[in-house]
Amino acid sequence: MKATQRPGRKAALPEGGPLQKAGSAEQADERALVEAAQTDPAKFGALYEMHFERVYAFIASRVRDRATAEDVTSDVFHKALANLTRFEWRGVSFAAWLLRIAANAVVDQAKRVAREFPSPEDPAELVADPGLRPSELRAIENHARLFRLVGQLPEAQRQVVHQRFVDQRSIREIAGRLGKTEGAIKQLQLRALERLRAQMESGHA
Amino acid sequence: MPKRPLSEQVDEAVQAMLVSLRPRPERDPSPSLAVLVPIAQVLRDLPRESFRIALKSDLQRRTSMNEAVAPSPERSLHYMRPGFTSITPYILVAGGTRFVEFLKAAFNGVERLRVPAPDGTIMHAEVAVGNGMIELGDANDQYPATPVTLHHYVDDADATYTRALQAGATSIYPPTDDHPSGDRWGAIQDQFGNRWYIATPKGWTPGPKGLRSIQPYLHLRDAHKMIPFLESAFSAEALGVHKSPEGHVLHATIRIGNATLEIDEAHGEFQPMPCYLHIYVPDTDALYAQALRAGATSVEAPTNKPYGDRAAGVKDPFGNSWFIATYLGK
């Protein structure tokens, strides 16, 4: 567990984190998980746990609303499960394979909407190549890590974050539901953000 | 002015962020604020836990039972219908078909849905305008026309203003830069009696995930009483309230879920126009009961609708009607 802040940390990260070339010990583990799931699809759950935040973060950053993000995410994992036996380990990580499915699913979804409801203002990017730049991959990895860190917050902070940002509830309503004062909820919100920020900074995942 | 606690400053930034508004510039900003804002921004995309769990069990069921590709019916859904935000104006209009044509010509509206009535009028239609939505139906004897006032945020207020006039609207005043909001701001009235404030916001960006293109604007008598009502009835949150020395609301932005509406004290030719508003909420039954406790009157108790929503209706003390809905899936 490292708590030091190294300014050069970003530059030291391999481009795209675990999304590029296979080789590390972590990826050897992942490879074992993939092969296990290829033999026994019931073991797909472990891969889902490992990659859910990454896939969701990617899709949420590219679609307009939460309902669409959920539809497309669901679609991607169903497709991945259906095509799992076709995945071959040729230097491309499983995460990169999932994100390629996700990128295609996002474009398909946008095309479906554009076909159904053609608009003079449809941006050209709907049909553009979804290729991921290293900076985008880093952003996705960071978002996914933040989402996982929320799950590790102290319970009261975690509840406030979910009710505020996911359920979009007002401070007053959250206070009523949790039986605390509005000031206490604002404090919990602040503590949660500070803790998440500190953990993101320290690289402690 | 004494420095406000960091928790207050952060909360104001979060409030604004939930609806993609720019927070009020801090008079004496804490340096700690700036580093927390990017974290809060990403949290807007935080996945729902219930979705994460439902999808996992969905996938597991499929692997264990070798089910077909169709997702299971128990899959939990987000409470908003795709394409909708938390607040959508519902306009009853004489000449629905012509109104849809106007929305297309003036505002690049995109018709998303049209349900015709047997006599050829529009029973229900949905037209996307920018990143917002307008719902409409033809007025009849039972349900007379209810024109509304809407705030329409665009990239170029002058161009949109001109197009609206070409599409048949009349000018109330052309876009100017001297509006108190600082936005470039003009106003028109369409042939159907609706009023549109057309504005180019300064300091934040309209866009697919940005500021809502369509915001209902309610001119109210005793507008200050609307704020506590909306807070207690619909769990709304006031984002910015500007009052005159006499206590009149000059302008207030009110958030419900991920969208906003604006209110002010009725004045001059801008008098109350009671209207219909459609809000998506996580739990229709709970919010319906909450609204009645806050002083709303019932129009319709919650029921499951054939189009896949659970919905109810209430009227507020100012005469506006609210459709409260939760998306249940198709």
Side-chain angles (χ1 to χ4, degrees), chain B residues 35-56:
Chain B
V35 296
L36 297 179
V37 165
I39 299 282
Q41 264 162 346
V42 178
L43 289 178
R44 289 183 301 178
D45 279 343
L46 184 67
R48 287 191 305 142
E49 284 178 334
S50 56
F51 168 70
R52 189 190 206 286
I53 294 164
L55 177 55
K56 186 178 184 186

Side-chain angles (χ1 to χ4, degrees), chain A residues 41-42 44-45 48-49 52-53 56-57 60-71 73-74 77-79 81-82 113 117-121 143 146-147 150-151 158 161-162 164-173 183 186-187 189-190 193-194 196-197 200, chain B residues 6-8 10-11 14-15 18 35-36 39-40 42-49 51-53 55-56 58-60 62-63 69 71 75-85 108 110-113 130-132 208-209 231 235-237 255 257-258 282 290 330:
Chain A
F44 187 70
Y48 175 82
E49 289 295 338
F52 171 81
E53 278 79 10
Y56 188 91
S61 71
R62 294 194 160 215
V63 302
R64 187 179 119 166
D65 55 43
R66 187 177 289 278
T68 308
E70 293 185 353
D71 274 354
T73 303
S74 171
F77 279 105
H78 278 281
K79 273 191 187 130
L81 178 58
V113 171
F117 308 111
S119 159
E121 289 192 335
H143 293 191
L146 182 65
F147 296 163
V150 170
R158 195 189 60 80
V161 166
H162 272 274
R164 190 78 169 134
F165 290 94
V166 180
D167 302 333
Q168 309 247 351
R169 297 189 193 280
S170 69
I171 291 289
R172 177 175 301 182
E173 197 181 5
K186 287 180 189 172
Q187 276 299 324
Q189 174 176 259
L190 173 63
L193 290 173
E194 285 179 333
L196 290 169
R197 190 239 166 189
M200 290 297 286
Chain B
L6 181 58
S7 66
E8 297 283 340
V10 166
D11 187 57
V14 169
Q15 280 178 12
L18 291 174
V35 296
L36 297 179
I39 299 282
V42 178
L43 289 178
R44 289 183 301 178
D45 279 343
L46 184 67
R48 287 191 305 142
E49 284 178 334
F51 168 70
R52 189 190 206 286
I53 294 164
L55 177 55
K56 186 178 184 186
D58 212 24
L59 292 161
Q60 276 172 338
R62 208 178 124 188
T63 55
V69 182
R75 194 162 68 95
S76 89
L77 279 150
H78 185 55
Y79 67 85
M80 273 186 260
R81 185 174 284 276
F84 279 78
T85 65
N108 277 329
V110 178
E111 187 174 334
R112 296 264 153 160
L113 178 69
N131 67 1
K209 284 198 162 189
E231 286 174 340
S235 303
E237 192 163 34
R255 177 181 78 85
N258 68 0
Q290 185 180 326
K330 290 166 194 104

Side-chain angles (χ1 to χ4, degrees), chain B residues 27-275:
Chain B
R27 204 180 288 255
D28 183 13
S30 158
S32 314
L33 177 65
V35 296
L36 297 179
V37 165
I39 299 282
Q41 264 162 346
V42 178
L43 289 178
R44 289 183 301 178
D45 279 343
L46 184 67
R48 287 191 305 142
E49 284 178 334
S50 56
F51 168 70
R52 189 190 206 286
I53 294 164
L55 177 55
K56 186 178 184 186
S57 60
D58 212 24
L59 292 161
Q60 276 172 338
R61 200 173 311 109
R62 208 178 124 188
T63 55
S64 60
M65 295 168 63
N66 220 358
E67 279 184 348
V69 182
S72 80
E74 305 113 79
R75 194 162 68 95
S76 89
L77 279 150
H78 185 55
Y79 67 85
M80 273 186 260
R81 185 174 284 276
F84 279 78
T85 65
S86 298
I87 307 174
T88 309
Y90 201 114
I91 307 176
L92 291 179
V93 59
T97 304
R98 284 188 297 120
F99 183 52
V100 171
E101 291 314 311
F102 171 78
L103 293 176
K104 290 178 183 171
F107 304 128
N108 277 329
V110 178
E111 187 174 334
R112 296 264 153 160
L113 178 69
R114 184 186 296 218
V115 183
D119 63 357
T121 58
I122 293 179
M123 186 184 290
H124 172 80
E126 296 167 6
V127 179
V129 174
N131 67 1
M133 189 77 85
I134 289 173
E135 293 176 284
L136 65 110
D138 256 301
N140 55 36
D141 291 344
Q142 197 186 351
Y143 296 103
T146 53
V148 301
T149 303
L150 295 173
H151 208 147
H152 182 28
Y153 287 103
V154 295
D155 288 326
D156 183 343
D158 295 79
T160 304
Y161 170 84
T162 305
R163 284 186 53 161
L165 296 189
Q166 283 163 356
T170 23
S171 175
I172 300 175
Y173 50 84
T176 65
D177 281 323
D178 55 11
H179 193 270
S181 65
D183 297 346
R184 186 155 177 84
W185 180 305
I188 59 133
Q189 177 159 330
D190 67 27
Q191 310 89 300
F192 310 89
N194 304 294
R195 291 185 164 176
W196 301 76
Y197 296 126
I198 298 170
T200 300
K202 296 282 156 65
W204 63 76
T205 322
K209 284 198 162 189
L211 187 66
R212 303 293 171 208
S213 308
I214 297 289
Q215 298 187 22
Y217 202 119
L218 307 180
H219 301 296
L220 304 166
R221 224 162 274 131
D222 288 335
H224 60 281
K225 293 183 183 164
M226 183 59 131
I227 298 170
F229 171 78
L230 291 175
E231 286 174 340
S232 53
F234 301 133
S235 303
E237 192 163 34
L239 300 187
V241 181
H242 302 282
K243 286 188 177 174
S244 71
E246 308 83 55
H248 290 311
V249 175
L250 299 175
H251 183 262
T253 302
I254 313 283
R255 177 181 78 85
I256 298 174
N258 68 0
T260 52
L261 56 83
E262 295 164 85
I263 66 169
D264 71 4
E265 186 67 30
H267 57 284
E269 62 172 310
F270 302 100
Q271 291 301 314
M273 297 163 73
C275 63

Side-chain angles (χ1 to χ4, degrees), chain A residues 68-145:
Chain A
T68 308
E70 293 185 353
D71 274 354
V72 177
T73 303
S74 171
D75 205 31
V76 167
F77 279 105
H78 278 281
K79 273 191 187 130
L81 178 58
N83 292 298
L84 193 59
T85 50
R86 287 194 220 158
F87 172 72
E88 288 178 45
W89 205 282
R90 285 190 187 150
V92 177
S93 71
F94 186 68
W97 184 71
L98 277 177
L99 286 193
R100 203 179 305 141
I101 298 177
N104 288 330
V106 167
V107 171
D108 284 350
Q109 194 272 341
K111 279 184 184 164
R112 205 160 50 235
V113 171
R115 208 169 33 240
E116 225 173 314
F117 308 111
S119 159
E121 289 192 335
D122 277 340
E125 71 199 52
L126 283 187
V127 288
D129 174 58
L132 297 173
R133 290 192 303 274
S135 62
E136 289 178 290
L137 292 177
R138 272 196 302 276
I140 291 159
E141 285 305 304
N142 277 329
H143 293 191
R145 194 153 69 87

